[in-house]
Amino acid sequence: RIRTPIWSVKGHESLVNCIDGCGGLGIGSGAAELVTGSRDGCVKVWDSRVDRAVVSLEPDGDPNDVHSSRDCWAVSFGSSFNDEERCV
């Protein structure tokens, strides 16, 4: 049982609904990366070697508009064929 986080970063303005990972440790190509989706509507790609998102996809429009849904409920990495490409 791990009592302290192995890696931690704050990057979303709201609750994280979904997470996926790929790469690293000889599993796939490239560095270990995570992708997260949040209630703030953002999808972010994380590289555990740095303390900020390497890609941030944010919704257009007013975040305070109650008529627009900003939740992100599913994210996934696709195939990674080499060290330079990722599909989210």
Side-chain angles (χ1 to χ4, degrees), residues 12-83:
H12 286 281
E13 296 298 320
S14 191
L15 178 75
V16 171
N17 291 324
C18 47
I19 187 170
D20 191 24
C22 77
L25 298 175
I27 303 168
S29 295
E33 290 181 314
L34 298 172
V35 61
T36 55
S38 173
R39 283 192 170 173
D40 61 13
C42 296
V43 173
K44 297 190 179 202
V45 178
W46 306 90
D47 181 334
S48 61
R49 299 173 295 179
V50 296
D51 61 355
R52 65 191 185 297
V54 293
V55 174
S56 182
L57 307 171
E58 301 172 3
D60 287 336
D62 181 5
N64 298 316
D65 182 3
V66 296
H67 299 292
S68 68
S69 176
R70 299 178 66 81
D71 261 350
C72 177
W73 283 97
V75 293
S76 179
F77 275 111
S79 296
S80 119
F81 296 107
N82 59 42
D83 293 347

